[in-house]
Amino acid sequence: MPLTPETLSTLEAQSIELPSWAFGNSGTRFKVFATAGTPRDPFEKIADAAQVNRFTALAPTVALHIPWDKVDDYAALRRHAEDLGVTLGTINSNTFQDDDYKFGALTHHDDRIRRKAIDHHLECIDIMDATGSRDLKIWLAEGSNYPGQADLRARQDRLQESLQEIYARLTGEQRLVLEYKFFEPAFYHTDVPDWGTSYVQVAALGERAMVCLDTGHHAPGTNIEFIVMQLQRLGKLGSFDFNSRFYADDDLIVGAADPFQLFRILFEVNRGGGLQNPDVVFMLDQCHNVEEKIPGQIRSVLNVQEMTARALSVDGDALDAAQRANDVLGANAVLMDAFYTDVRPALAEWRESRGLAADPMAAYAASGYQEKIAADRVGGVQAGWGA
Amino acid sequence: MPLTPETLSTLEAQSIELPSWAFGNSGTRFKVFATAGTPRDPFEKIADAAQVNRFTALAPTVALHIPWDKVDDYAALRRHAEDLGVTLGTINSNTFQDDDYKFGALTHHDDRIRRKAIDHHLECIDIMDATGSRDLKIWLAEGSNYPGQADLRARQDRLQESLQEIYARLTGEQRLVLEYKFFEPAFYHTDVPDWGTSYVQVAALGERAMVCLDTGHHAPGTNIEFIVMQLQRLGKLGSFDFNSRFYADDDLIVGAADPFQLFRILFEVNRGGGLQNPDVVFMLDQCHNVEEKIPGQIRSVLNVQEMTARALSVDGDALDAAQRANDVLGANAVLMDAFYTDVRPALAEWRESRGLAADPMAAYAASGYQEKIAADRVGGVQAGWGA
Amino acid sequence: MPLTPETLSTLEAQSIELPSWAFGNSGTRFKVFATAGTPRDPFEKIADAAQVNRFTALAPTVALHIPWDKVDDYAALRRHAEDLGVTLGTINSNTFQDDDYKFGALTHHDDRIRRKAIDHHLECIDIMDATGSRDLKIWLAEGSNYPGQADLRARQDRLQESLQEIYARLTGEQRLVLEYKFFEPAFYHTDVPDWGTSYVQVAALGERAMVCLDTGHHAPGTNIEFIVMQLQRLGKLGSFDFNSRFYADDDLIVGAADPFQLFRILFEVNRGGGLQNPDVVFMLDQCHNVEEKIPGQIRSVLNVQEMTARALSVDGDALDAAQRANDVLGANAVLMDAFYTDVRPALAEWRESRGLAADPMAAYAASGYQEKIAADRVGGVQAGWGA
Amino acid sequence: MPLTPETLSTLEAQSIELPSWAFGNSGTRFKVFATAGTPRDPFEKIADAAQVNRFTALAPTVALHIPWDKVDDYAALRRHAEDLGVTLGTINSNTFQDDDYKFGALTHHDDRIRRKAIDHHLECIDIMDATGSRDLKIWLAEGSNYPGQADLRARQDRLQESLQEIYARLTGEQRLVLEYKFFEPAFYHTDVPDWGTSYVQVAALGERAMVCLDTGHHAPGTNIEFIVMQLQRLGKLGSFDFNSRFYADDDLIVGAADPFQLFRILFEVNRGGGLQNPDVVFMLDQCHNVEEKIPGQIRSVLNVQEMTARALSVDGDALDAAQRANDVLGANAVLMDAFYTDVRPALAEWRESRGLAADPMAAYAASGYQEKIAADRVGGVQAGWGA
């Protein structure tokens, strides 16, 4: 099946933001496995991210995580990125790895700690000014482990106050994007556990405050594409954190656990105009615990691209007609037909027509980059996250 | 442990609305078991509901379900209720048992069907005018079973339009309360699946539109008391449908599956002022598939009362102090201490002081009412619901 | 991609058993919608099932449900089936629609009721003798709704005693297949809730007692292909009840909710030899609540066939090599490559080469059968199940 | 309510094994918080564990984790324990923190790695010989993250082979106890994911191989007391790992998340004779991420004791009578009556009669031990686990 010019034009404009931290080591609470060639600083992470873009032309921006990616000279980091053909994207704050934040950060009852957490976000905005980033993404690990431990309501109010102060510091096109998560690392309550909470918090801030939807951050059985629809309907879908999961927030490669779900999500994004809307940022947020990291990211952006191609192939007129006729099987068949169509050969061809390798995974493997970094990056401390 | 005068005064004001349909037969998709003495019309249902109030003084209002409780003369039904010491409460609409609604009601793409569904709600408001009911409760069974079957976004927009027309018909103190439900009877998507959707729908209507929280309508692992907190914070908690569940929407007796969760919910209701707030309606919505119905309802209202007494017994000052000290175990202990305290003897004593039987379950069993209705209600069609 | 001769030969031998009850009306506890043309007796159900086989050559046997499919003359029913090109398959017992079974059947503490339930199964074996069926499938709706209601242990022991008596009655090649289910219609405990319980119950019976795996009967997040592997490893996988689900036991069309899961299951069946093993019966067990029933069944058998073709296309040598090299991404890619390959054109071609319509859905729609039964089957009581 | 002499005698014999690792630091993949006074070696861990026993007389044994608790001289460790009034209990193996085990240990396809993992277990049995421990507990973190990554079936077979070699090394009264876990740290498949798999693996070994049930290792909605019943019925319940959870394997304090579930479990343990059976070991396996560790363990053993007292208070005759009468509400009420009874005053009194503090939490807090270790244990590396 050839892809239509319209589909190709949408695909050509598709841009997926890579998380710098995906190139460092990650793991579970039980163990983080080390791997040869892991970056030791933000410059090396960006170099790796640039490889993903080099072979796919899909990943021109790299998100940073502060303080993991703190450097003395952000202008230098920016030039480094641009020299490698990518730019710096979303700035992610981090309030979960400081002993002070054991019992909260933006929601903490202790003014000193809350001040510190707010200041950290103001510093992130300073960095955005330096990097030219538009978005400040806030994921809060805050919550409690035992009933009674915390005052749910007071924390919610303090969260709003904190966010208002951070929001007030934004300038120009800058945005605040608030992520929600069902649970983990807190086990009893989480301060921003669902899209509803994120929505009411950002709606109270203003137009440049949006919701971030991480595809792994929902209760079992949640219909995620419904939330995609609703947030677009409300004009509040700011960004995606793509990944996949079988059980909890597994942070596996996007599309790996339930490819059909990814298809449905992308179909709904497109139906709501999100594929053509620069306000909806496509990001990855994954952990490559056991697989190689750069190939893992290449695989991920290809998964998004391939599934987008399938979602764009849905015959909208036929779907609409079947829906209006209450033809349940017919309407479902229109969707399934697009899902089951193998778009990979057409994409490989198109890739070649744009001067890219038909098979980016193979091309990267053949490039020698992995062997080079494994040899070069000996000594130093491998970048990582977690405990 | 004696209950404080404050606690007793709150308990004295507590009022739990009974669902008329709890007295009819219910079951699963596999089987509805019949039982002797089941009411055959709305008058008999109200007579049974009045028994619950007679022995507990906790249940002075009865919610109706239209068309199940349609009668020719609502004034007569109202007098019948008042003669038995109860009043008519919330009117529940029903758009899930007409063949026309197979593919939707308030969200349907067919104007004729949507019109019919809106008109049904306008008729419900007429009934409210006749019964003196304040609340119109809307639970929508609408959704789809297969991806592609329905246009999620268009349905959401049509839902808002339909609700606006219904809302516009309300007068005086009347309210519209919109219930959400995670899934069932639709299996792929539900049009109002979560509190966030219910909230944005009613917030767009106006001040007298509120959210109804059914405790069985959430994904596994959902922290329900957090939602209670959030809805109270937003001023949009209109009512509860109390019941309990192990897996899905099991509609078991409130407090039966997870008594500690009921405690936490009531604690949060009280913390948000909901126990003293007439805008928050306490309703039961349960199915007594295998147990006797009137005793099942008596057990239910007692469960709510007992757990409310425990929630009111939490030492707020000690809790606050422990929370401020980040004393995790101490704060949790304050909560657990109240939960583990046996309030039943004090409640029995207090009940007697008010001229009620110490043990309402035993008093009802001894009253002979069950034997009487089993003997009297022979012939006719037992009331029920479902397929 | 052409299908290999080996794949085609396996596909040619594939046989999927249809449930007679899929052609009757079904629904949820809220509503069963009626549809034109619904069969009114077992003969009409078999006629409809034969249509599925006529257009797919995939469904040569029909499972019966007793008492739903009770007839005076099973020899006549058998001839009726054979005249239509199909045979009678598994006999399913039913102990969930008699008032006597409200609190249990094969597990009941009352000897009279347990005797009745055992006798029902002995009668089912008599019917098997008449129909030539090999398998007696037992799904038990037994359990309890409230903690304390039942003695879990005594019921388990009584279940074993009951099954032994039933098993002892089997002759020749006849088998007993015991299905498990996570929950519903009982909400607190189910007497055969998981594969482990079904396994220990049938292992204690003997070689001709097996486990039935219904793909919709597991807790959220359960890895079903692991259970497929384990049961095959233990020699106890007797049959599948295929369907799909988003939340609970939704009984949707197989492959509709999570096609990749169906692929993984079929891959594991094949890896364990189950595709060539007549001891593993492929059955459907679905409810077509809102979609048309005969097309729903055609869609279902095609889904199984298409996914089987994909599973058979996995490059086993490449997979093995990647697994041995701990090449996580490479091994996963081997699987995904087969999953994403569009086998539909090759199957359509192959179908035509066997004298079948390339598109069975379209061919059935064009056949006029649906219109004919809608016109003919007026009057009488439509077959259905449930309350 | 006074406790009966029978209850008191059962409670007096109750013994709960503490995990040495509960006294070290633990956390999530995001962060491990350090706390003052954390033990720096196995001797200090045992000293802390002895405090729990000192104030509760409930925790006379301490489980070790190898290699975390490796010492040069196990005889010295044993004497150290005995001097402090406790003994060394279960030896837990660990195959999840060595880079070699990234893709498996006892299931690995590489003979060298599998050999290493088996040898580790043989070493653990050597340690058991030295410590006088009866049980070798095996929890396997093995599994895979992506479909196709691993050969499920071959791993299962290799697991059996490995276990047979380990089992063969046991002598005298020694036992092998195999734990199962639903997921984590592997996200796609786990090699021992459910009780059924653990059961078939240990049943194939022999009489001294048993199942370990960790209360946090099940899918959402699993009826754990049913599994307790079944394993006791099969004679294969070897031990408990007690903890609690809201979502996944949260490892919270036992009884904290769902006290009623703990009650039901203990009721079923007692009904199956497990409270009097030395073959059923009661262990804790918890992580005190945010709360103090020694008080956390004291709270935990008290929770088990209090809930055991409630479970023992169930009126068995009344329950049996209600069950036989199909009196659903009556039977449930018997259970709930015991659950809601406040046993704490009677236990406090009884504690005092045995020379213990009425309130062990307060007594520990007043003892000055926490301040002493915070002051003494400065410098060195705090014990911990995880990444």
Side-chain angles (χ1 to χ4, degrees), chain A residues 185-248:
Chain A
F187 296 126
Y188 165 59
H189 107 273
T190 295
D191 289 301
V192 188
D194 51 25
W195 77 264
T197 296
S198 181
Y199 170 74
V200 298
Q201 285 283 346
V202 302
L205 294 178
E207 280 196 1
R208 282 170 299 118
M210 310 285 279
V211 175
C212 171
L213 187 160
D214 183 304
T215 52
H217 288 190
H218 303 84
T222 301
N223 183 324
I224 298 174
E225 56 269 29
F226 183 92
I227 300 175
V228 169
M229 173 279 291
Q230 189 68 275
L231 286 173
Q232 287 190 113
R233 180 177 172 268
L234 298 165
K236 282 296 185 191
L237 180 61
S239 59
F240 279 100
D241 269 9
F242 279 118
N243 49 53
S244 75
R245 53 168 266 176
F246 288 98
Y247 302 100

Side-chain angles (χ1 to χ4, degrees), chain D residues 135-183:
Chain D
D135 289 355
L136 171 64
K137 180 145 66 75
I138 303 178
W139 168 63
L140 297 170
E142 301 174 51
S144 64
N145 277 0
Y146 292 97
Q149 178 188 332
D151 182 332
L152 307 189
R153 168 68 176 270
R155 289 171 74 95
Q156 200 67 205
D157 293 336
R158 287 192 295 260
L159 173 59
Q160 179 60 216
E161 281 177 45
S162 300
L163 290 176
Q164 285 190 352
E165 191 169 343
I166 296 163
Y167 185 73
R169 167 66 182 79
L170 297 173
T171 54
E173 299 298 307
Q174 289 176 341
R175 307 192 307 172
L176 181 160
V177 185
L178 182 63
E179 192 167 340
Y180 60 92
K181 184 173 182 181
F182 186 52
F183 85 104

Side-chain angles (χ1 to χ4, degrees), chain A residues 325-386:
Chain A
N326 293 323
D327 179 0
V328 177
L329 292 169
N332 181 245
V334 172
L335 223 62
M336 300 314 292
D337 186 40
F339 177 66
Y340 282 132
T341 298
D342 194 348
V343 297
R344 296 174 303 165
L347 285 172
E349 225 174 274
W350 175 64
R351 225 172 260 128
E352 284 189 313
S353 78
R354 299 169 71 208
L356 293 163
D359 180 348
M361 292 291 283
Y364 172 75
S367 74
Y369 185 84
Q370 193 76 38
E371 294 74 11
K372 189 175 178 319
I373 58 176
D376 289 357
R377 296 177 184 168
V378 173
V381 177
Q382 296 194 330
W385 66 288

Side-chain angles (χ1 to χ4, degrees), chain A residues 50-85:
Chain A
Q51 291 293 313
V52 178
N53 193 48
R54 175 183 161 204
F55 289 99
T56 64
L58 269 169
T61 58
V62 187
L64 302 182
H65 214 293
I66 305 300
W68 295 340
D69 294 323
K70 264 188 149 170
V71 292
D72 292 332
D73 183 349
Y74 289 98
L77 191 68
R78 188 177 181 168
R79 281 193 306 275
H80 171 70
E82 288 166 4
D83 289 348
L84 294 165

Side-chain angles (χ1 to χ4, degrees), chain A residues 48-368:
Chain A
D48 288 2
Q51 291 293 313
V52 178
N53 193 48
R54 175 183 161 204
F55 289 99
T56 64
L58 269 169
T61 58
V62 187
L64 302 182
H65 214 293
I66 305 300
W68 295 340
D69 294 323
K70 264 188 149 170
V71 292
D72 292 332
D73 183 349
Y74 289 98
L77 191 68
R78 188 177 181 168
R79 281 193 306 275
H80 171 70
E82 288 166 4
D83 289 348
L84 294 165
V86 296
T87 59
L88 303 180
T90 300
I91 299 298
N92 292 263
S93 63
N94 178 323
T95 52
F96 52 87
Q97 294 192 313
D98 187 308
D99 280 327
D100 268 348
Y101 299 142
K102 187 175 184 176
F103 297 107
L106 293 183
T107 64
H108 206 294
H109 58 78
D110 182 329
D111 286 342
R112 182 189 64 80
I113 292 172
R114 197 157 70 89
R115 182 73 256 154
K116 175 174 169 174
I118 294 170
D119 287 344
H120 165 65
H121 285 85
L122 300 185
E123 186 197 354
C124 285
I125 301 176
D126 291 340
I127 294 172
M128 289 162 67
D129 292 341
T131 55
S133 303
R134 181 183 62 169
D135 288 355
L136 171 65
K137 180 146 66 75
I138 304 178
W139 169 63
L140 296 170
E142 300 173 52
S144 64
N145 276 1
Y146 292 97
Q149 177 187 332
D151 182 332
L152 307 189
R153 169 68 177 270
R155 289 171 74 95
Q156 200 67 204
D157 293 336
R158 288 192 294 260
L159 174 58
Q160 179 58 216
E161 281 176 47
S162 300
L163 290 176
Q164 286 190 351
E165 190 168 345
I166 296 164
Y167 185 74
R169 166 68 181 78
L170 297 173
T171 53
E173 300 297 307
Q174 289 177 341
R175 308 190 308 171
L176 181 160
V177 185
L178 181 63
E179 191 167 339
Y180 60 92
K181 183 174 181 180
F182 186 51
F183 85 104
E184 197 211 20
F187 296 126
Y188 165 59
H189 107 273
T190 295
D191 289 301
V192 188
D194 51 25
W195 77 264
T197 296
S198 181
Y199 170 74
V200 298
Q201 285 283 346
V202 302
L205 294 178
E207 280 196 1
R208 282 170 299 118
M210 310 285 279
V211 175
C212 171
L213 187 160
D214 183 304
T215 52
H217 288 190
H218 303 84
T222 301
N223 183 324
I224 298 174
E225 56 269 29
F226 183 92
I227 300 175
V228 169
M229 173 279 291
Q230 189 68 275
L231 286 173
Q232 287 190 113
R233 180 177 172 268
L234 298 165
K236 282 296 185 191
L237 180 61
S239 59
F240 279 100
D241 269 9
F242 279 118
N243 49 53
S244 75
R245 53 168 266 176
F246 288 98
Y247 302 100
D249 184 33
D250 305 344
D251 280 328
L252 300 177
I253 286 175
V254 54
D258 187 349
F260 183 46
Q261 183 186 59
L262 178 59
F263 170 79
R264 300 192 310 263
I265 290 171
L266 288 166
F267 171 75
E268 205 59 50
V269 173
N270 183 47
R271 196 240 173 276
L275 286 179
Q276 283 82 16
N277 181 355
D279 286 351
V280 181
V281 175
F282 280 44
M283 259 191 61
L284 302 182
D285 185 8
Q286 303 178 165
C287 293
H288 303 304
N289 297 349
V290 297
E291 68 272 27
E292 288 186 283
K293 297 164 209 314
I294 298 172
Q297 292 282 296
I298 294 176
R299 179 72 275 153
S300 301
V301 297
L302 293 176
N303 281 358
V304 175
Q305 184 186 51
E306 291 174 12
M307 212 54 92
T308 304
R310 287 185 188 91
L312 287 164
S313 304
V314 171
D315 182 337
D317 293 337
L319 183 64
D320 191 57
Q323 288 176 347
R324 293 197 164 274
N326 293 323
D327 179 0
V328 177
L329 292 169
N332 181 245
V334 172
L335 223 62
M336 300 314 292
D337 186 40
F339 177 66
Y340 282 132
T341 298
D342 194 348
V343 297
R344 296 174 303 165
L347 285 172
E349 225 174 274
W350 175 64
R351 225 172 260 128
E352 284 189 313
S353 78
R354 299 169 71 208
L356 293 163
D359 180 348
M361 292 291 283
Y364 172 75
S367 74

Side-chain angles (χ1 to χ4, degrees), chain A residues 103 109 147-151 156-157 188 193-195 197 219 223 225-226 230 233 271 323-324 326 331-332, chain B residues 103 109 147-151 156-157 188 193-195 197 219 223 225-226 230 233 271 323-324 326 328 331-332:
Chain A
F103 297 107
H109 58 78
Q149 177 187 332
D151 182 332
Q156 200 67 204
D157 293 336
Y188 165 59
D194 51 25
W195 77 264
T197 296
N223 183 324
E225 56 269 29
F226 183 92
Q230 189 68 275
R233 180 177 172 268
R271 196 240 173 276
Q323 288 176 347
R324 293 197 164 274
N326 293 323
N332 181 245
Chain B
F103 298 107
H109 58 78
Q149 177 186 334
D151 182 331
Q156 201 66 204
D157 294 336
Y188 165 59
D194 52 24
W195 78 263
T197 296
N223 184 324
E225 55 269 30
F226 184 91
Q230 189 69 274
R233 180 178 171 267
R271 195 238 174 279
Q323 287 176 346
R324 296 199 161 273
N326 294 323
V328 177
N332 181 244

